[in-house]
Amino acid sequence: MGRMAAVRAFLLSLLSVRYHSEKGTFVRSFPHPWLIWEPGLWQPAQSAADPTQTQGAGGGGHHPQSTGDALCFELAERRALKVGRARSCDIQLNDATVSREHLLLEPEGLGSGWLARPTTSKNTTDLNGIRLSGQSLPLRAGDQLRLGDVICTYNPHAAMLERLEGQIRKLQPKR
């Protein structure tokens, strides 16, 4: 049996509710940066090891998820984290346009920052629209990584709290 992803993942909507209902406890319990898989076009990866996964009648094209919920990965462990669609990855992105081992996130020095580095030159990885070609680059608040067709946003702790506040405002009824 393959190992499970090492990084905890939460839906943005559920994190927002938890943040709203237990703000002080939440801030102390989740003091880490986050990598957020943004809603968007999605092409499920087909696995030969899992015969229950089938192609749809449309040939496995993209499935629109632009109104869906973001998936938030908590970057709590300060060690190199593999990002990709393989079961061996710490952060799993089940999208056919993402390589099995697409990206490596590495802690930046002694602080709380992170570096992003594609695992091979064949991977299509952009940081804020600029192609990453093997070098490690630091991630800053709001930076967007494109892995294949998947967009992930990096949010340090303070930026994540701001995003949760914005999500709560969107969910509150209009007066």
Side-chain angles (χ1 to χ4, degrees):
M1 185 157 190
R3 94 180 172 80
M4 298 299 289
V7 175
R8 294 191 312 173
F10 304 88
L11 291 172
L12 181 62
S13 59
L14 296 177
L15 275 179
S16 299
V17 169
R18 188 166 176 189
Y19 172 71
H20 183 67
S21 64
E22 52 188 75
K23 198 171 281 187
T25 304
F26 182 93
V27 170
R28 288 187 301 280
S29 298
F30 297 100
H32 313 289
W34 296 82
L35 186 68
I36 302 167
W37 180 0
E38 302 293 352
L41 295 178
W42 177 59
Q43 185 172 351
Q46 186 173 8
S47 170
D50 185 356
T52 63
Q53 290 186 359
T54 59
Q55 292 284 117
H62 286 84
H63 299 275
Q65 294 291 323
S66 58
T67 58
D69 206 348
L71 186 59
C72 306
F73 297 95
E74 180 186 23
L75 303 179
E77 287 190 61
R78 299 284 298 160
R79 64 175 180 83
L81 300 171
K82 288 190 288 184
V83 180
R85 69 172 202 269
R87 286 186 176 196
S88 61
C89 288
D90 301 296
I91 297 175
Q92 294 177 7
L93 304 175
N94 183 24
D95 186 280
T97 65
V98 174
S99 298
R100 285 179 180 83
E101 291 184 5
H102 200 107
L103 183 74
L104 192 63
L105 293 177
E106 301 168 300
E108 181 182 28
L110 298 174
S112 61
W114 288 84
L115 301 168
R117 179 173 52 88
T119 56
T120 71
S121 60
K122 291 186 254 179
N123 295 344
T124 304
T125 307
D126 296 344
L127 175 61
N128 299 324
I130 299 169
R131 178 68 45 99
L132 293 180
S133 55
Q135 76 274 28
S136 292
L137 289 177
L139 295 175
R140 301 297 174 237
D143 278 354
Q144 290 203 324
L145 289 161
R146 178 183 287 273
L147 292 76
D149 289 339
V150 169
I151 301 289
C152 293
T153 303
Y154 173 75
N155 277 333
H157 180 68
M160 185 62 174
L161 296 180
E162 287 176 26
R163 178 141 183 197
L164 292 172
E165 288 282 352
Q167 184 73 14
I168 292 165
R169 283 191 297 275
K170 279 199 276 184
L171 296 174
Q172 290 176 339
K174 304 280 187 225
R175 294 179 192 187

